[in-house]
Amino acid sequence: MNYPLLRTIDSPADLRRLPRTELVKLAGELRAYVLDTLSNSKVGGHLGSNLGTVELTVALHYVFNTPEDRLVWDVGHQTYPHKVLTGRREQLATIRHLGGISGFPRRDESPFDTFGTGHSSTSISAAHGMAMAAKIKGEDRRAVAIIGDGSMTAGMAFEALNNAGVPHGGLLGNMLVILNDNDMSISPPVGALNKYLARLMSGNFYSSAREGAKSVLKNTPLYEFARRFEEHTKGMVVPGTIFEEFGFNYVGPIDGHDLDALIPTLENLRAKKGPQFLHVVTKKGQGYKLAEADPVKYHAAPGKFDPAVGFVKSATPAKTSFTQVFGEWLCDMAEQDKRLVGITPAMREGSGMVEFHQRFPTRYHDVGIAEQHAVTFAAGLACEGLKPVVAIYSTFLQRAYDQLIHDVALQNLPVVFALDRAGLVGADGATHAGNYDIAFSRCIPNMAVLTPADENECRQALYTAYQHNSPVTVRYPRGAGVGVAIAKEMTALDWGKGEVRRESSKPHLRSNSDSPRIAILSFGTLLYPALQAGEQLDATVVNMRFVKPLDQALVADLARTHDAFVTIEDGCVMGGAGSAVMEAMQAAGFDLPVLQLGLPDEYIEHGDVASLMSACGLDAAGIERSILKRFGARPSLVRPAANQ
């Protein structure tokens, strides 16, 4: 398909020059272009939600003066049509690739990306800030928050609604919140009546009549009756009463795929002052029958596929992923212990909990995009003698840090946190990378931190954590490991103990040698590239397993018999596992040179994980290269004290 109309659109200004009669054709081409591009992408991308936002995106850029009017998308993975219409049409094929455009809005990528929204439920707060800034600066522009795909389940969205609907210092921001309701969970069927009501309620006649009635009845006994009658009469037709109570003028629901309904409604709302709320109903996967029929499966495209056939499983059996290891362990553990309760904040499929949900429905809790609630809910369960397991991406646990400290660790409650997507995650980029959990977990009293090296050790680490009577995080990366056989039997690891996996053949304490005896202390799955580097350098390689409690006795033994340490982790260097080793050495009086390898103090771009790890020097060749650069010539060594 040549997309003749779409290829004339290089910016929203081009779009706004089109006659309205051309917009349906443009939307059709835009939808086909997104589907065609993703079906030919090696890394894939979010599919269903983007097919569902096509008409809404066209209508928004047609009505609003973007980028002067601010659009904030939430969650940001529904912005592919937005990117196409804002000058990035030819770059869409590079989305989520190394060096390509991001799968989420990025302020440094385009002036049309007004706010980065890789995590959900932030749009209303951000748009409120932008609307108030316009008021304070005396600028006449609008801020629009488009929130959907489950984002309204988070408390932050309602905190923002609660704040945005009331004046501050006499100022009330001109903002529009659009609820992109793409699963029809809270809306009645959409039809001509709802379209008529939406257009009527957003128009001047309805608004003038309502305000006029208020002024007439304001000081009479009928005012409160009339107000309640209006709200609850509207509430019988539309679920808008709650948003009216927050101070928003509620409009909808309307068909989010009907441009003849969207455009006049948006035009009316743009002309209004103060906080407005528009409820649109869209369908995930709109226009692609396979995605419409199975929106969960087609939420994201895994890579190249034939749109006529859909997603087809590879004939080559895939390696077992760490997510699958967790899912299988969870079911096995639940069979043994009826106290186990599994919790996920809206990531059933991503966290590997589908089978657990099917087999143990009364012990499965999907709390929605509500990480803070998930953690404190787990704490409440633990208070009553149950054994909660919170399956959560590393990056999303950041959103519940206060609850982790105050509600779980301070009370020393036995909650297991299974941290998926630890380390770099590849195509999703910096917003989803799990770079910080080691640093932010190990500094919390009572919290233990386990870093299994492979699939079998992950299973045993989860079992070990479950037996412990205090909070524990077990972190593991996205994707598969090295293919280690997984033992069905569950055996607890020795608590707080590492293991030497390779012993250097070099004599220790060779004070006159130019080739120091080096110990590589590895935390997590980087053990295997560390072993490869260790073979090349004849270094000792240790699988530390535990960041906290750290195996201080092993660290001391290694310090007595080696000339230098190298610590390796797939988390941030600052405050990470290497820092824990250095703290332990200092406390014990050792003063060996230490090379800390891990993720640098910067945000890592999206791309394939292997390339990113290589760029960070965390593949086998990079580890070897860093060690040779630091210790290739004899370093200035300070030996341990004689009595150590």
Side-chain angles (χ1 to χ4, degrees):
M1 187 174 180
N2 292 322
Y3 313 104
L5 189 56
L6 182 61
R7 293 197 181 280
T8 68
I9 308 299
D10 293 319
S11 74
D14 297 327
L15 168 64
R16 291 190 281 270
R17 282 192 284 267
L18 290 179
R20 190 181 293 184
T21 54
E22 294 284 335
L23 297 185
V24 172
K25 179 181 178 182
L26 177 66
E29 290 187 14
L30 179 55
R31 177 171 284 108
Y33 185 77
V34 170
L35 177 58
D36 181 50
T37 303
L38 289 184
S39 66
N40 286 287
S41 170
K42 290 182 179 180
V43 301
H46 292 92
L47 179 62
S49 55
N50 283 291
L51 297 179
T53 59
V54 168
E55 287 82 9
L56 181 57
T57 304
V58 170
L60 283 167
H61 283 294
Y62 191 78
V63 172
F64 287 88
N65 183 31
T66 55
E68 180 65 19
D69 288 332
R70 315 298 201 225
L71 302 184
V72 183
W73 294 88
D74 187 357
V75 172
H77 64 228
Q78 59 185 328
T79 55
Y80 295 12
H82 161 81
K83 287 177 182 266
V84 172
L85 295 178
T86 54
R88 289 166 281 180
R89 181 183 61 248
E90 302 306 320
Q91 294 173 276
L92 189 66
T94 72
I95 200 163
R96 305 175 79 241
H97 288 73
L98 184 64
I101 62 174
S102 172
F104 300 93
R106 284 185 53 157
R107 286 173 53 84
D108 60 358
E109 185 178 292
S110 169
F112 292 92
D113 293 0
T114 62
F115 198 79
T117 48
H119 289 191
S120 82
S121 314
T122 60
S123 60
I124 303 176
S125 296
H128 177 44
M130 293 172 181
M132 291 304 295
K135 280 286 186 181
I136 293 168
K137 295 163 67 179
E139 297 173 352
D140 184 20
R141 55 178 167 80
R142 301 293 185 270
V144 183
I146 306 101
I147 183 167
D149 216 24
S151 297
M152 280 298 293
T153 61
M156 184 175 176
F158 286 91
E159 291 173 18
L161 286 173
N162 184 54
N163 186 240
V166 296
H168 297 273
L171 299 178
L172 196 59
N174 295 325
M175 69 176 294
L176 168 63
V177 175
I178 298 177
L179 172 59
N180 176 23
D181 178 6
N182 59 16
D183 60 4
M184 295 192 174
S185 59
I186 60 172
S187 61
V190 177
L193 176 61
N194 285 313
K195 184 193 303 185
Y196 169 75
L197 287 171
R199 294 180 64 176
L200 176 65
M201 289 163 60
S202 68
N204 288 330
F205 174 79
Y206 173 82
S207 180
S208 298
R210 180 173 64 175
E211 295 306 315
K214 282 183 180 179
S215 64
V216 171
L217 298 174
K218 183 69 175 177
N219 297 316
T220 74
L222 293 175
Y223 175 77
E224 184 64 16
F225 173 80
R227 186 185 68 82
R228 292 183 178 275
F229 180 82
E230 177 205 42
E231 289 181 351
H232 293 288
T233 300
K234 286 168 65 178
M236 288 187 291
V237 182
V238 294
T241 305
I242 185 173
F243 302 111
E244 293 274 358
E245 293 287 354
F246 279 121
F248 284 75
N249 174 43
Y250 175 89
V251 176
I254 64 172
D255 185 346
H257 302 297
D258 185 350
L259 287 166
D260 289 333
L262 280 171
I263 289 175
T265 302
L266 288 172
E267 288 174 337
N268 285 330
L269 290 171
R270 189 182 185 279
K272 288 187 170 301
K273 304 293 185 181
Q276 309 293 321
F277 193 102
L278 174 62
H279 181 174
V280 302
V281 176
T282 61
K283 179 180 287 187
K284 258 189 166 181
Q286 172 74 12
Y288 181 39
K289 296 301 182 184
L290 293 172
E292 289 181 19
D294 193 346
V296 174
K297 179 179 179 180
Y298 286 85
H299 172 73
K304 288 188 176 184
F305 68 97
D306 182 351
V309 178
F311 301 167
V312 178
K313 285 187 177 181
S314 173
T316 305
K319 288 183 180 179
T320 300
S321 69
F322 283 96
T323 301
Q324 290 172 308
V325 170
F326 166 74
E328 292 169 5
W329 168 81
L330 189 67
C331 290
D332 292 346
M333 198 71 247
E335 285 279 10
Q336 290 188 15
D337 190 345
K338 296 187 183 302
R339 297 175 300 163
L340 186 151
V341 178
I343 303 166
T344 177
M347 298 304 297
R348 184 186 71 158
E349 287 75 20
S351 292
M353 296 183 71
V354 173
E355 184 181 350
F356 179 81
H357 181 201
Q358 294 168 344
R359 291 176 56 186
F360 307 97
T362 62
R363 290 193 272 161
Y364 166 82
H365 293 270
D366 182 346
V367 301
I369 303 177
E371 293 86 359
Q372 293 174 312
H373 166 60
V375 172
T376 304
F377 172 59
L381 292 170
C383 285
E384 300 301 322
L386 298 182
K387 296 281 285 185
V389 177
V390 180
I392 188 168
Y393 289 8
S394 168
T395 186
F396 296 145
L397 185 58
Q398 296 165 186
R399 305 182 63 153
Y401 194 54
D402 179 66
Q403 288 71 26
L404 189 67
I405 296 172
H406 182 271
D407 299 338
V408 175
L410 182 63
Q411 303 184 93
N412 202 24
L413 295 171
V415 179
V416 174
F417 295 92
L419 301 191
D420 204 331
R421 272 64 166 181
L424 298 181
V425 294
D428 282 333
T431 60
H432 285 61
N435 300 359
Y436 312 110
D437 59 86
I438 292 177
F440 73 62
S441 296
R442 78 173 191 88
C443 64
I444 303 174
N446 295 329
M447 182 71 68
V449 182
L450 277 66
T451 57
D454 53 45
E455 302 92 324
N456 183 57
E457 194 164 87
C458 183
R459 178 178 172 87
Q460 310 313 332
L462 288 163
Y463 178 75
T464 305
Y466 190 80
Q467 306 307 313
H468 198 60
N469 201 36
S470 292
V472 185
T473 66
V474 181
R475 72 186 310 266
Y476 46 90
R478 182 177 191 172
V482 293
V484 170
I486 302 170
K488 183 66 176 175
E489 181 182 359
M490 292 183 283
T491 306
L493 304 173
D494 289 339
W495 186 253
K497 296 297 181 183
E499 58 170 3
V500 177
R501 294 288 293 268
R502 186 190 188 280
E503 185 82 34
S504 173
S505 63
K506 295 178 182 180
H508 65 277
L509 303 180
R510 292 183 61 186
S511 58
N512 296 318
S513 172
D514 289 333
S515 180
R517 192 170 197 247
I518 294 171
I520 302 174
L521 283 63
S522 176
F523 296 84
T525 56
L526 290 181
L527 171 68
Y528 289 91
L531 283 167
Q532 294 177 49
E535 286 293 327
Q536 295 298 316
L537 300 170
D538 191 14
T540 296
V541 181
V542 184
N543 176 21
M544 293 301 293
R545 288 178 169 168
F546 291 79
V547 176
K548 185 182 179 183
L550 186 72
D551 192 342
Q552 297 189 30
L554 179 57
V555 169
D557 287 343
L558 293 168
R560 294 187 186 99
T561 56
H562 291 78
D563 300 312
F565 277 2
V566 178
T567 64
I568 301 178
E569 59 194 298
D570 60 345
C572 61
V573 168
M574 296 179 68
S579 297
V581 171
M582 294 187 71
E583 290 162 12
M585 291 173 63
Q586 185 180 41
F590 294 104
D591 192 14
L592 270 68
V594 179
L595 171 63
Q596 292 176 260
L597 299 181
L599 299 176
D601 184 27
E602 62 188 60
Y603 293 109
I604 309 299
E605 297 295 328
H606 51 274
D608 66 281
V609 173
S611 296
L612 296 175
M613 294 296 276
S614 177
C616 292
L618 294 177
D619 58 354
I623 293 169
E624 180 182 352
R625 187 167 55 248
S626 294
I627 294 174
L628 287 173
K629 182 179 179 181
R630 175 71 182 276
F631 301 124
R634 182 178 181 272
S636 175
L637 301 177
V638 179
R639 300 307 319 145
N643 62 346
Q644 294 291 330

